Amino acid sequence: MKILAIDTSCDDTSVAISEDRKIIANVFWSKLKVHNDWGGVVPTEAKRQHEEFLPLAITAALEEAKLQLEDIDYFAVTYGPGLAIALEPGIDKAVELAKMYNKPLVPVNHMVGHIYANLAQDANRESYSSIKEFDLPSLALTISGGHTDLFLFEKNLKFKKIGHTLDDAIGEAFDKVGRLLGLGFPAGFKIEQLALNGNPDRFKFPRPLHNTNDFNWSYSGLKTAVLYEVNKLLGTYQKDIQKGEIKFGHSTSALSEQDINDIAASFQKAAIDALLIKVEKAVKQYAPKMLIVGGGVIANQALRTAMEALCEKYKLKLTYPKPMWLCTDNAAMIAATAYFLIKEGQVISEQSKFESVERVPNLEIS
Ligand code: KG4
Ligand code: ZN
């Protein structure tokens, strides 16, 4: 079966085509002017960009797959979670195409997509991760700009949430610390690069909630601790050079390169430690067959290495999508997920029901 999938959950306009779960086309159009001065996404601009780029991305994906729209059997689309008005153009386009070509529509949860990205296959039908199938029961961890959630994954496409962040997501913490250091948006990758030359033990940042008896996280206090250290450093510099006010966004020009690298390395270590303390607790309690990870933050090599060490300790199989583009937002994961939803009959075939597919910005996994 041929599936065309669309993801417009945030600032990337993504279209992919798969044959079953083999990805045969994958197109991204991203980020023209959709970010404001503070690094946030401007929703109206994101929507406008999606509307402009979707037709182009669809044409490019069809060319890459050497297919026509008539050849597509299913149209899949992310309906949440995501930015409300960014989701809309994706849903509208998928509904329009499913109607026009009289094919079923497959609504997909973006976060389930991050997990099922692990089962997407390349041109040789080799998995993009280290596994071919999920061994259940497992633990699934989603770590992105909007989510830090842990699930007990007992049956195909069925998840029970056992942990979540009480405030900021881990990716959001990377982005906020990045903003503080004037690194632009998103900042995860840049912090990782700076951390390579930094001392992770110079600053003693907290591991919030490390000793609570649950599987929850909190990243907002960590960000505040970083702000406090930057403040202290800037205070020193101000006194030294007798200068006026220094804005945080410009702190890169006021802090030394070594200070910035050390902050990045110390923050990254604290963020990873805090994450793994709760993952380890859950591994001990649930004795899962696998630890399945998805979401933009698992692009981070230091985190991958730390997770591998943890799973080695418990002789546990670890899996995450290996290519970076399959960790961050993409439509290939939506196509792969749609394949499994279709196998379970979770599609909408009647045109009269297409309009019932609405954006759900806070969609949960259930
Ligand atoms: O999954 P994703 O692309 O979008 C959401 O669904 O949110 O995740 C984006 C997040 C951003 O916060 C970004 O800073 C973070 O993933 N990220 C990273 C890295 N690459 C992306 N965080 C840490 N290290 C990285 N290498
Ligand atoms: Zn995402």
Side-chain angles (χ1 to χ4, degrees):
M1 69 179 85
K2 306 236 174 15
I3 305 165
L4 185 145
I6 296 174
D7 183 279
T8 61
S9 58
C10 192
D11 51 353
D12 291 319
T13 312
S14 318
V15 175
I17 299 175
S18 69
E19 188 170 346
D20 299 343
R21 54 174 149 150
K22 178 175 91 172
I23 308 305
I24 55 176
N26 191 28
V27 173
F28 303 85
W29 239 281
S30 77
K31 302 178 191 81
L32 273 187
K33 290 177 291 181
V34 298
H35 297 125
N36 63 23
D37 292 344
W38 291 102
V41 176
V42 181
T44 46
E45 274 304 310
K47 178 181 160 94
R48 201 200 50 71
Q49 177 188 285
H50 292 319
E51 281 167 351
E52 182 183 340
F53 290 165
L54 264 175
L56 303 169
I58 290 169
T59 305
L62 288 165
E63 269 173 23
E64 197 178 323
K66 301 193 175 53
L67 294 173
Q68 315 267 329
L69 276 169
E70 292 78 2
D71 303 322
I72 302 297
D73 302 305
Y74 295 88
F75 291 94
V77 64
T78 296
Y79 71 109
L83 285 176
I85 71 169
L87 290 164
E88 259 171 34
I91 297 172
D92 290 349
K93 181 55 83 180
V95 166
E96 176 194 319
L97 292 172
K99 267 190 185 159
M100 195 181 294
Y101 293 92
N102 200 16
K103 294 289 162 59
L105 187 67
V106 192
V108 179
N109 179 317
H110 179 86
M111 299 314 292
V112 175
H114 275 304
I115 297 170
Y116 273 76
N118 282 282
L119 298 185
Q121 295 173 334
D122 65 16
N124 300 318
R125 290 208 183 263
E126 296 292 337
S127 184
Y128 280 113
S129 69
S130 57
I131 57 161
K132 284 195 161 59
E133 307 291 342
F134 295 135
D135 292 339
L136 303 181
S138 282
L139 285 174
L141 176 70
T142 51
I143 39 176
S144 67
H147 291 81
T148 310
D149 291 326
L150 186 62
F151 301 92
L152 189 58
F153 182 17
E154 291 183 304
K155 280 192 191 141
N156 268 340
L157 299 161
K158 294 254 183 303
F159 301 86
K160 185 174 151 211
K161 196 191 268 190
I162 56 169
H164 62 103
T165 178
L166 303 181
D167 39 58
D168 292 351
I170 181 170
E172 193 178 354
F174 271 89
D175 294 334
K176 284 183 174 168
V177 168
R179 190 167 91 190
L180 196 66
L181 299 175
L183 301 178
F185 177 87
F189 179 70
K190 288 177 194 153
I191 289 185
E192 179 178 9
Q193 296 307 304
L194 295 173
L196 292 175
N197 297 313
N199 174 2
D201 300 314
R202 174 165 162 204
F203 300 103
K204 304 283 173 255
F205 292 133
R207 276 66 171 156
L209 301 189
H210 68 275
N211 53 10
T212 59
N213 198 21
D214 53 33
F215 308 112
N216 294 333
W217 294 275
S218 161
Y219 278 99
S220 127
L222 175 55
K223 167 207 68 194
T224 308
V226 175
L227 172 68
Y228 182 69
E229 276 304 334
V230 170
N231 235 331
K232 274 205 318 208
L233 288 169
L234 285 176
T236 317
Y237 276 90
Q238 280 183 31
K239 210 161 44 182
D240 285 347
I241 55 179
Q242 299 282 307
K243 246 180 141 182
E245 187 187 303
I246 299 172
K247 286 194 182 131
F248 285 121
H250 301 283
S251 54
T252 27
S253 56
L255 296 176
S256 75
E257 206 178 308
Q258 197 55 53
D259 283 343
I260 290 173
N261 294 345
D262 292 347
I263 289 170
S266 301
F267 158 75
Q268 178 174 276
K269 183 160 184 239
I272 292 174
D273 279 357
L275 186 73
L276 292 197
I277 287 166
K278 293 302 174 79
V279 171
E280 179 163 11
K281 196 189 266 272
V283 166
K284 280 191 200 158
Q285 174 153 340
Y286 291 98
K289 292 190 177 153
M290 286 183 170
L291 174 62
I292 302 155
V293 190
V297 181
I298 194 59
N300 186 292
Q301 189 53 52
L303 174 60
R304 290 178 174 199
T305 306
M307 287 235 165
E308 263 146 26
L310 176 74
C311 289
E312 178 61 37
K313 180 172 161 192
Y314 290 92
K315 301 287 167 240
L316 176 63
K317 217 183 261 179
L318 170 68
T319 177
Y320 50 80
K322 285 180 189 160
M324 304 297 163
W325 57 262
L326 199 53
C327 297
T328 49
D329 287 350
N330 67 87
M333 69 187 195
I334 303 304
T337 310
Y339 165 72
F340 290 95
L341 289 165
I342 293 163
K343 283 211 305 184
E344 300 270 326
Q346 295 190 40
V347 305
I348 303 177
S349 303
E350 287 171 47
Q351 295 222 352
S352 61
K353 295 199 177 139
F354 287 175
E355 301 302 336
S356 69
V357 179
E358 284 182 16
R359 63 184 196 187
V360 187
N362 298 318
L363 183 64
E364 287 277 348
I365 296 184
S366 61

